Amino acid sequence: SLPAKLINGGIAGLIGVTCVFPIDLAKTRLQNQQNGQRIYTSLSDCLIKTIRSEGYFGMYRGAAVNLTLVTPEKAIKLAANDFFRHHLSKDGKKLTLLREMLAGCGAGTCQVIVTTPMEMLKIQLQDAGRIAAQRKLMAAQAQISSSSPEPAAERRPTATQITRELLRTKGIAGLYKGLGATLLRDVPFSIVYFPLFANLNKLGQKDPNVKAPFYVSFLSGCVAGSTAAVAVNPCDVIKTRLQSLQRGVNEDTYSGILDCTKKIWQREGPTAFFKGAYCRALVIAPLFGIAQVVYFVGIAEFLLDMLPKHRA
């Protein structure tokens, strides 16, 4: 049922995000670094420096936004894919690869309604620590050379403050900055992910009418998720750069997708488009592995079935 699908998708998103959020934070910070302004050298270096400067909970900065909005996002994504697969199938026959890709395309297009503002707010909160660390480092260097007093620590904005400011200055469009880049990332991701997962999952089914074991769904979600994540990482780098409202010292600003692509290529080289690719694979693999296990095992159906028995 649709309610069960939405509940399953929401639970899957909550569990997955909680497990992998620190890696996602490191991915955002690594992707936003530009040549000559590097604070972090790797995933482990980023996490260690984050804990030292911001404490353990610094790794979860922006998690509240993600946890709040990931439920409708994952619910829409998984339920929309099922919806399109159902309507594209003919008399219950097996979907062709093209139709599976079309279903994935529809799911990716639907989810950006929630994904874009969620990513917009999350990126501001995740990257605030990197910008603060860069400014602190430069202030320390200036202090050594000029013996000036150390500047007071900056107060970092909350998600509510960022939302209010964007709505006040730019309206609802402010929360949807980078919509085109989000579509450019999420639609190809879903086109790759959903058909790949469906076909990998089928390999573990002994009977077409019986669900595959949970470990098959988990591994299929991990493999399909990491493959799709790396494939669309260049689009994710562009999206992250476009949605970052604040820049570090001497960092480039961008007017759009083409301008961002051109500047990254010219000033940082083609390898810059794969910054944070292994972080993104580490985030997406367990995230979608967990999501598919929860979704296909059907926790919601179990809970909904138990309610009448409990009342009785």
Side-chain angles (χ1 to χ4, degrees):
S1 65
L2 182 60
K5 289 178 181 179
L6 295 176
I7 293 169
N8 280 333
I11 293 171
L14 289 172
I15 295 172
V17 166
T18 303
C19 293
V20 302
F21 193 83
I23 304 174
D24 186 62
L25 178 136
K27 177 208 69 107
T28 298
R29 294 187 177 185
L30 290 170
Q31 285 183 339
N32 266 332
Q33 288 190 136
Q34 298 182 23
N35 289 342
Q37 303 294 335
R38 295 177 182 272
I39 301 293
Y40 315 108
T41 58
S42 64
L43 167 63
S44 58
D45 181 59
C46 180
L47 293 178
I48 290 169
K49 287 179 178 177
T50 298
I51 293 172
R52 285 177 180 172
S53 62
E54 303 170 52
Y56 175 78
F57 291 105
M59 295 191 300
Y60 282 88
R61 184 147 179 86
V65 173
N66 226 24
L67 290 171
T68 301
L69 296 178
V70 76
T71 298
E73 187 227 18
K74 286 291 178 287
I76 289 171
K77 187 185 190 84
L78 295 171
N81 181 65
D82 271 6
F83 174 83
F84 288 115
R85 287 178 71 89
H86 173 73
H87 285 278
L88 286 168
S89 62
K90 292 182 177 180
D91 302 322
K93 293 181 180 178
K94 181 181 176 181
L95 284 173
T96 62
L97 179 60
L98 178 60
R99 288 177 179 267
E100 286 183 332
M101 292 171 72
L102 286 172
C105 177
T109 303
C110 290
Q111 79 169 81
V112 298
I113 298 168
V114 177
T115 303
T116 305
M118 179 183 77
E119 293 272 316
M120 179 72 181
L121 295 172
K122 182 191 74 172
I123 285 170
Q124 314 317 313
L125 298 170
Q126 286 182 330
D127 204 39
R130 180 189 70 88
I131 294 172
Q134 187 192 83
R135 289 174 179 171
K136 186 177 180 180
L137 179 63
M138 296 193 71
Q141 292 172 349
Q143 186 182 2
I144 292 171
S145 60
S146 64
S147 299
S148 58
E150 186 177 347
E154 294 181 24
R155 292 187 65 183
R156 295 175 194 170
T158 64
T160 304
Q161 290 171 338
I162 294 170
T163 304
R164 285 176 179 171
E165 182 62 20
L166 285 171
L167 290 174
R168 185 182 67 82
T169 57
K170 300 182 180 180
I172 194 68
L175 290 172
Y176 281 87
K177 183 180 180 182
L179 175 63
T182 306
L183 279 168
L184 199 63
R185 181 197 68 172
D186 288 350
V187 172
F189 178 92
S190 295
I191 288 173
V192 173
Y193 172 78
F194 282 111
L196 183 56
F197 169 79
N199 286 283
L200 289 173
N201 198 55
K202 283 176 186 175
L203 296 176
Q205 289 180 277
K206 295 180 180 179
D207 186 329
N209 298 317
V210 178
K211 290 179 180 179
F214 78 93
Y215 65 86
V216 173
S217 294
F218 177 76
L219 291 174
S220 299
C222 288
V223 172
S226 57
T227 301
V230 173
V232 302
N233 197 75
C235 301
D236 189 56
V237 172
I238 293 168
K239 183 200 71 68
T240 300
R241 295 279 182 96
L242 288 174
Q243 288 189 319
S244 297
L245 298 177
Q246 293 191 16
R247 305 287 176 188
V249 180
N250 300 324
E251 290 185 343
D252 290 329
T253 56
Y254 311 102
S255 60
I257 294 173
L258 293 178
D259 179 58
C260 183
T261 305
K262 182 180 177 181
K263 285 180 178 176
I264 292 174
W265 183 278
Q266 290 178 342
R267 300 176 188 181
E268 301 174 60
T271 56
F273 290 104
F274 287 92
K275 282 183 176 180
Y278 66 97
C279 293
R280 183 162 164 74
L282 288 174
V283 169
I284 296 297
L287 179 61
F288 276 82
I290 293 167
Q292 291 295 2
V293 168
V294 173
Y295 194 66
F296 276 83
V297 167
I299 289 178
E301 288 91 335
F302 173 76
L303 293 174
L304 291 171
D305 287 343
M306 287 296 290
L307 282 175
K309 295 177 185 178
H310 179 69
R311 288 169 184 166

